[in-house]
Amino acid sequence: MRTAVALGLVLFAQAMLALSLVSAQQLLVPRNMPFGVVGPPSPVVAAVASRTGLALTAYPDTSAVTGAAEQGELYGAYVSGGSSDTLIVVPAKSFFGQTEVEPAFLAAAHDLGRPVTVQTIAPLAATDPVGAVTSLLLLPLLIGGYLAAVLVYKAAHGTAAAPWRAVILAGYALVGAVLTDLIAGLGIGAYSSSHFWPLLPCFWLVTSAVALAAAALQAMVGRMGTLLVAVLFIVIGGPPAGGLGTYLLPVYWRNIGVLLPPQSAVTLINHVLYFGGSDISTPLVVLFLYAFAGTAVIAWYGRIRPARAAAREAHGAVAPAAAPPDRRRGLIPILVALGVCAVMQCLFATTYMSASHAPKATDLPFGTVGTSPVLAAAEQAISLKVTPYPDEAAAKTAMDQARIFGALVSTGTSNTLIVVPSMSDLAPLDLAVKFEAAAKATGQTLTVQQYAPTPLAPKDPFGLVQGLMLVPLLIGGYMSSTLLMAATGRAAGRWRAAQLAGFALVSGLIIDVIVCYWLQGFPSGKFWITWPICALIVAVVAFVAAILQKLLGPVGTLVTVVVIVLFGNPSSGGASGVPYLPAFWRDIGPWLPPRNGYLLLHRTIYFDGHGTGQALTTLLVYLGVAAAVLIVLDLRRPEAAVPVDATEAASMAVPIGATP
């Protein structure tokens, strides 16, 4: 019975995480996006607004609308009147928003015969070309604050550190903020060193708000408070954080996010990083309220209520005085817990940021038909691994088989750039920009054409869904093994492999149903082939976690998180593709389950299984070897009891890897 309850809890957590992540981020399009207009009514604005979710606000002149954009109030603006119009874009508000708005306005202006120039305000830094740094900064801050509260609570046995818990957590938040700032800024260079001091108090506030609020809920409802915080701040609060643009989210998710710390944290960091700290009063108020409310609750349960109880006892019978606690002995496990938390926060700040903050193609597989000076000029700006093909049909066959990300077809008088949107969310735009610039520099004409063997699902126009659904599959794998260990009191058992395999089948089916049929994240014709792939990914991670837990006990869960989530997930390549990873992450990815799982999912759904042989073989080897090792360990290694609380195990496993 306890086993069924434990696995049921994992299934529920997986379903919630898949539903939240995919529904919030699968369809990033403008929704009531703040957009400024200046001048008389423009048919260009009317044409775009009729099919794009813009919330138009009129400004008296160019200076006023420019000032609003510089303060981060607008995602863009259109200035009409005179002999030409001006389109103002604000990449720092949302890279994805710019890619939606700018082409729409340029196309409408071209169709209506209106000359238009593009003016950029708050451009993204070279170290943050797609605006990913804000979201990547949120990850260690959110996880660090949560883990600090959980680990201090565990180390203090729920009560020992209560009087000083707020001070301890606020102190750790400062240490975690400094470490994150040093790693992301000065170490990795994701933002300039001039932002070190302005961002430091922001990081401190974000981590403090999460840690203090989590500790307050723990004080009120005990261990269940940690699960409640994981659900509120990470499973529900993380997806609508809006790192890619708050007004690209579904309206209901945006409204939910306003009430929780992650969205306020993203807005605060983004506006300090790119808008000089303007328009941050609302996120500051939200985060300070969480921090102050958490401190007040901790003070009530840790000092005020015990003091009142002691005063009441003083008026009654005098009880024998208890020996004062040894504070130094109680402090040691707390310091150890915070040390573990600091290491995890540093790893989250290092791995995800170094892998994803500045995607740049290296040896991007590319085809060519014929010869053109455009290709040589483009190669000066983007690293390509070029393969010649005899004709366009041969090049498209290579695209069908997921061997190239695009091709240039030249006939001598014209050039056609063919891009494959289902291969990568970034490569089509990257190739188009570089080749259009190359064509202009060489005086050639260029036409850009999209080609996809299986078109992207309408509700997944950027091909993000497979990367999003991979996260709950990975988490479900090690979480199932962890909660089985907690439920049975042992790291393994005679039927553990069978239990995990059965769970994987059910888990894969649930994720498949949610993403395919409920959220329509990929074509329904791929439902049945996707189910066993999802089950395989879950089973591989679960078996690996079970072995590590068998050998190391509860520490095995932590090791699994490090290997699978902190190194495996960043090296998967995700929606952008493996060529956009730095060398270290490209090299380690083939040896770890996440990349192989992602490629197997992605290429099965959109490329009819082409190019999946290595990924499938790797996962099957993992599964077979892990199952054999697990069986041998169960038969030959004596099994000792492992005292792990189920709620504690779930709270430690749920949030890890839930990318905001």
Side-chain angles (χ1 to χ4, degrees):
M1 182 62 184
R2 295 179 63 186
T3 297
V5 171
L7 294 180
L9 179 61
V10 180
L11 289 173
F12 176 75
Q14 267 191 302
M16 285 287 294
L17 188 54
L19 185 61
S20 300
L21 277 174
V22 177
S23 65
Q25 300 181 32
Q26 69 182 112
L27 186 59
L28 296 173
V29 296
R31 295 176 171 93
N32 301 325
M33 179 182 287
F35 195 86
V37 291
V38 176
S42 168
V44 175
V45 174
V48 175
S50 65
R51 60 179 185 271
T52 308
L54 302 180
L56 303 177
T57 301
Y59 288 83
D61 51 44
T62 303
S63 176
V65 78
T66 300
E70 290 173 343
Q71 293 178 3
E73 298 175 7
L74 301 173
Y75 283 71
Y78 197 83
V79 181
S80 60
S83 58
S84 66
D85 298 341
T86 300
L87 172 65
I88 297 174
V89 294
V90 191
K93 282 295 288 184
S94 172
F95 173 79
F96 274 84
Q98 181 191 2
T99 63
E100 286 283 317
V101 169
E102 184 175 348
F105 272 93
L106 293 180
H110 179 269
D111 292 342
L112 294 168
R114 287 294 300 175
V116 61
T117 58
V118 179
Q119 177 185 351
T120 301
I121 292 177
L124 290 164
T127 55
D128 185 23
V130 297
V133 165
T134 301
S135 290
L136 296 172
L137 284 171
L138 179 63
L139 192 58
L141 299 174
L142 196 64
I143 301 273
Y146 174 81
L147 285 181
V150 172
L151 294 177
V152 167
Y153 184 87
K154 179 179 182 295
H157 305 292
T159 58
W164 294 97
R165 185 162 295 161
V167 175
I168 292 171
L169 292 177
Y172 171 79
L174 178 58
V175 173
V178 171
L179 291 172
T180 302
D181 211 359
L182 286 172
I183 291 170
L186 300 182
I188 296 174
Y191 49 85
S192 67
S193 58
S194 62
H195 286 101
F196 179 89
W197 292 110
L199 285 173
L200 181 58
C202 301
F203 294 172
W204 187 12
L205 176 59
V206 172
T207 307
S208 296
V210 174
L212 293 169
L217 285 172
Q218 288 169 338
M220 289 189 291
V221 298
R223 288 188 177 92
M224 289 302 297
T226 58
L227 279 177
L228 183 58
V229 173
V231 172
L232 287 177
F233 289 4
I234 298 175
V235 176
I236 294 177
L244 300 177
T246 304
Y247 281 85
L248 298 178
L249 296 170
V251 175
Y252 64 92
W253 274 120
R254 184 170 71 241
N255 293 336
I256 291 171
V258 169
L259 304 174
L260 300 170
Q263 190 177 114
S264 293
V266 162
T267 302
L268 176 63
I269 294 170
N270 176 258
H271 280 225
V272 169
L273 196 57
Y274 285 111
F275 299 99
S278 61
D279 197 26
I280 59 174
S281 57
T282 298
L284 283 175
V285 168
V286 171
L287 292 171
F288 271 118
L289 281 175
Y290 271 96
F292 289 152
T295 302
V297 171
I298 294 169
W300 168 259
Y301 281 94
R303 286 187 176 276
I304 299 174
R305 194 169 74 166
R308 290 184 176 181
R312 287 194 299 268
E313 290 178 1
H315 291 87
V318 179
D326 187 342
R327 295 186 181 277
R328 287 178 298 178
R329 181 176 297 178
L331 187 61
I332 292 174
I334 293 174
L335 292 176
V336 171
L338 292 178
V340 172
C341 182
V343 170
M344 293 297 290
Q345 185 164 349
C346 289
L347 285 172
F348 269 100
T350 302
T351 56
Y352 282 87
M353 186 66 74
S354 63
S356 307
H357 79 95
K360 183 179 180 181
T362 301
D363 293 334
L364 185 74
F366 189 80
T368 181
V369 177
T371 59
S372 171
V374 175
L375 177 61
E379 287 188 282
Q380 301 300 312
I382 184 171
S383 172
L384 302 175
K385 183 179 180 181
V386 179
T387 301
Y389 293 93
D391 51 39
E392 182 176 332
K396 286 187 174 180
T397 297
M399 297 176 197
D400 292 340
Q401 297 174 357
R403 289 191 278 121
I404 56 177
F405 284 67
L408 181 68
V409 180
S410 304
T411 63
T413 58
S414 65
N415 300 279
T416 301
L417 173 66
I418 304 175
V419 295
V420 189
S422 53
M423 276 291 284
S424 167
D425 65 336
L426 186 56
L429 177 62
D430 197 13
L431 288 169
V433 169
K434 300 299 194 303
F435 273 84
E436 285 172 347
K440 184 177 180 180
T442 56
Q444 298 283 310
T445 59
L446 179 73
T447 302
V448 179
Q449 178 186 115
Q450 291 191 348
Y451 173 77
T454 299
L456 289 166
K459 290 194 175 181
D460 184 26
F462 298 105
L464 305 177
V465 163
Q466 281 72 59
L468 295 171
M469 68 187 291
L470 182 66
V471 173
L473 293 173
L474 298 177
I475 291 178
Y478 67 76
M479 199 174 167
S480 61
S481 180
T482 301
L483 263 71
L484 275 180
M485 179 176 64
T488 61
R490 296 182 181 276
R494 191 170 298 275
W495 297 101
R496 184 61 48 89
Q499 290 169 333
L500 292 176
F503 170 82
L505 285 172
V506 177
S507 168
L509 178 61
I510 289 175
I511 300 298
D512 198 17
V513 169
I514 289 174
V515 178
C516 181
Y517 286 123
W518 188 348
L519 301 177
Q520 300 173 28
F522 58 85
S524 59
K526 302 293 184 178
F527 173 83
W528 291 107
I529 190 61
T530 301
W531 176 16
I533 295 174
C534 292
L536 176 60
I537 295 170
V538 174
V540 166
V541 177
F543 280 23
V544 170
I547 291 172
L548 291 172
Q549 289 161 352
K550 174 78 173 179
L551 296 173
L552 304 174
V555 176
T557 301
L558 191 63
V559 176
T560 306
V561 169
V562 172
V563 173
I564 299 296
V565 176
L566 285 168
F567 285 92
N569 202 32
S571 65
S572 70
S576 296
V578 173
Y580 281 90
L581 289 171
F584 171 78
W585 299 102
R586 287 199 308 272
D587 293 341
I588 70 169
W591 304 98
L592 299 173
R595 179 185 296 180
N596 294 288
Y598 176 81
L599 291 177
L600 189 56
L601 272 174
H602 176 247
R603 293 187 177 179
T604 297
I605 291 173
Y606 286 113
F607 295 93
D608 292 328
H610 289 291
T612 60
Q614 181 178 343
L616 179 59
T617 300
T618 301
L619 289 176
L620 290 175
V621 169
Y622 260 103
L623 184 69
V625 172
V629 171
L630 189 58
I631 291 171
V632 170
L633 288 175
D634 284 344
L635 293 176
R636 296 193 176 185
R637 187 181 177 94
E639 181 67 28
V642 180
V644 180
D645 178 80
T647 304
E648 173 189 306
S651 64
M652 289 293 293
V654 167
I656 306 299
T659 54

